[in-house]
DNA sequence: GCCAACGTTGGC
DNA sequence: GCCAACGTTGGC
C-alpha cells in the first residue's frame, strides 16, 4: 500500500468531476512525463491512496481523497488525433503512455498549498520541493497520516 | 502576464 | 554524448 499526490487542473478534471463520473471513476489521461508515467506503470497498485490536488487554478491545494482503481493500461488519448494529448510517435504495438483509473473516496475542505507549507511535518513532501513540476509524486505514510488526520 | 525551474529536442 | 534552444508547468 502506497500513497500518492496527483495533480489535476480543476477546469479539466476536478474532484467534483470525479465524484460525478460513472462508478466515481476516471482514467488519469494526459500524463506526458516519463517519471509520472513510470509511477503509474511500475509502482502503483490498486487500492493505493491518492491525494487529489487542484493545480493551475485560483486556489491550488488538496481537494479530496481518491484511490488507485485499476492496473496500468495504455492511455487511449495518445492514439486520438483529435485529442490535445495525441502523440504521433506512439503506436498500438508499443504504446508510449500508460495510465491507471482513479476512484473517488471523499471530498474535503480544500487544504491550500500555503497551509501545506506551514507544517514542518510536511516540509519534505515532494510536491512542495522547489521547482517541482511532477504531476504525480509519492507521499510517505507519515505525510498521508498527518494530512488525513489533522488537515482533512 | 511574468518568470523560475525543469524536461525534451535536435544539431553537432 | 553534449548542450543550447525551446516548450511546459504552475505559483504568484
Amino acid at each position: 500500500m502506497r500513497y500518492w499526490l496527483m495533480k489535476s487542473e480543476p477546469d479539466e478534471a476536478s474532484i467534483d468531476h470525479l465524484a460525478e463520473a460513472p462508478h466515481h471513476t476516471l482514467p488519469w489521461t494526459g500524463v506526458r512525463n516519463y517519471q509520472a508515467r513510470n509511477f503509474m506503470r511500475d509502482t502503483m497498485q490498486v487500492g493505493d491512496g491518492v491525494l487529489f490536488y487542484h493545480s493551475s487554478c485560483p486556489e491550488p491545494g488538496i481537494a479530496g481523497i481518491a484511490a488507485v482503481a485499476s492496473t496500468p493500461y495504455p492511455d487511449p488519448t495518445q492514439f486520438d488525433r483529435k485529442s490535445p494529448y495525441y502523440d504521433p510517435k506512439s503506436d498500438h504495438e508499443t504504446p508510449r503512455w500508460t495510465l491507471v483509473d482513479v476512484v473517488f473516496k471523499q471530498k474535503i475542505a480544500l487544504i491550500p498549498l500555503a497551509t501545506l507549507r506551514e507544517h514542518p511535518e510536511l516540509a519534505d513532501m515532494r510536491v512542495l520541493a522547489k521547482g517541482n513540476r511532477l504531476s504525480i509524486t509519492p507521499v510517505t505514510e507519515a505525510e498521508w497520516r498527518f494530512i488525513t488526520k489533522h488537515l482533512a
Side-chain angles (χ1 to χ4, degrees):
Chain A
M1 174 86 171
R2 289 187 164 86
Y3 305 94
W4 308 92
L5 182 142
M6 299 175 79
K7 294 181 190 173
S8 182
E9 299 187 16
D11 285 349
E12 280 203 35
S14 70
I15 190 70
D16 291 326
H17 290 131
L18 185 62
E20 292 158 14
H23 308 291
H24 314 295
T25 300
L26 288 173
W28 206 260
T29 55
V31 168
R32 295 295 179 265
N33 168 283
Y34 291 106
Q35 251 187 292
R37 178 206 65 180
N38 291 349
F39 284 139
M40 291 196 285
R41 190 188 63 183
D42 305 333
T43 318
M44 280 189 181
Q45 296 195 299
V46 173
D48 281 1
V50 172
L51 301 172
F52 193 108
Y53 182 95
H54 287 175
S55 70
S56 295
C57 59
E59 288 187 306
I62 297 169
I65 310 293
V68 174
S70 79
T71 52
Y73 63 96
D75 181 344
T77 64
Q78 71 195 304
F79 305 123
D80 178 359
R81 290 175 178 277
K82 290 175 210 147
S83 167
Y85 302 121
Y86 175 64
D87 184 351
K89 293 179 187 164
S90 187
D91 61 82
H92 283 83
E93 286 68 37
T94 53
R96 182 177 292 203
W97 305 110
T98 298
L99 54 64
V100 296
D101 292 340
V102 170
V103 61
F104 176 83
K105 290 294 179 184
Q106 66 176 120
K107 187 175 178 177
I108 61 174
L110 187 96
I111 309 169
L113 178 58
T115 301
L116 296 175
R117 292 196 189 283
E118 283 171 8
H119 294 278
E121 294 89 343
L122 304 178
D124 293 331
M125 276 190 87
R126 283 280 289 280
V127 73
L128 302 182
K130 183 178 181 179
N132 171 73
R133 295 188 329 184
L134 256 191
S135 63
I136 299 175
T137 48
V139 172
T140 67
E141 187 174 356
E143 290 161 353
W144 174 271
R145 281 221 190 102
F146 184 82
I147 290 168
T148 54
K149 283 189 183 170
H150 301 293
L151 302 182

